[in-house]
Amino acid sequence: YWAKIPTWVPKAKKINMVWLPFLLPHEWLSNYLWQPDAQNDAMPEAGTFKSQKLAEMCEAWGNPAGSMVPLGIHGDGVPIQGRMNQSTLDFFTLNLPCSETFQSQRMPICCLETKYNAGEQTCQAICEVIAWSLKKLGEGKYPTERHDGQPFSSNTDKERQQMSGKEMPAKAALIEMRSDWDWN
């Protein structure tokens, strides 16, 4: 998924809108949950802190307890080497915090080299795309339009048009948010 995001252009010393790629949480998770027993593997053990948090989120969404898959989102800063100095690559990632199989694995949602981050404008635009995708997971239905309210493109979004409004294999809720110092 590509979305126009305001980013900093160091040479021009101005903000410019650029197309940034995303692996949307609702698309990745829906694809994963079509696999046999994937939903059961992603669920927390009964009576744990995470099962309590999931129950709270299910209630907040108006769903029965245990009817949503728990998700975690992470902000990660990864140092990279430039020509003469060090820079950071900032990631938003998603994981299944209760999965025995995939608890420690993180799926990248998007990344951006820090020098192109225009601050609040960049973060806000990225978070709007992620929040839209997470909302669709909470509703359990594929979106009928892009994150900005525009229709899906017949050139680049054919599969999204085909899935528009259909039920996802499961609903999901965010129960965990983390970040590391580099990312903060």
Side-chain angles (χ1 to χ4, degrees), residues 9-169:
V9 182
K11 287 184 180 179
K13 296 188 182 333
K14 67 175 188 169
I15 294 174
N16 195 20
M17 298 296 285
V18 300
W19 289 100
L20 187 70
F22 289 80
L23 175 59
L24 295 172
H26 74 269
E27 292 180 349
W28 172 77
L29 189 64
S30 291
N31 286 338
Y32 172 70
L33 291 174
W34 285 115
Q35 298 177 42
D37 210 36
Q39 188 170 348
N40 288 334
D41 176 62
M43 299 305 284
E45 200 173 310
T48 63
F49 175 77
K50 289 179 181 175
S51 71
Q52 293 169 1
K53 288 295 162 197
L54 180 60
E56 290 173 18
M57 292 309 301
C58 287
E59 184 179 339
W61 279 95
N63 294 316
S67 65
M68 300 177 89
V69 173
L71 297 175
I73 194 167
H74 303 260
D76 291 318
V78 179
I80 57 173
Q81 292 294 326
R83 290 184 187 173
M84 297 296 277
N85 56 10
Q86 200 171 31
S87 185
T88 302
L89 193 59
D90 296 328
F91 283 89
F92 276 101
T93 61
L94 185 75
N95 82 322
L96 299 168
C98 302
S99 168
E100 286 292 320
T101 310
F102 298 108
Q103 179 178 6
S104 63
Q105 295 184 5
R106 296 182 185 168
M107 296 301 298
I109 299 171
C110 70
C111 71
L112 180 70
E113 193 171 348
T114 305
K115 70 180 182 181
Y116 300 114
N117 188 334
E120 187 176 339
Q121 294 176 25
T122 301
C123 292
Q124 180 68 31
I126 289 171
C127 287
E128 285 174 9
V129 174
I130 295 170
W132 163 76
S133 182
L134 291 172
K135 182 178 180 194
K136 296 305 167 188
L137 276 170
E139 295 169 352
K141 289 196 177 208
Y142 288 98
T144 56
E145 59 191 15
R146 293 179 53 81
H147 75 284
D148 56 6
Q150 296 298 312
F152 287 124
S153 166
S154 57
N155 294 330
T156 59
D157 298 316
K158 288 180 183 177
E159 289 183 35
R160 291 183 182 100
Q161 286 177 329
Q162 291 172 355
M163 298 305 290
S164 178
K166 293 182 180 177
E167 296 281 327
M168 292 180 189

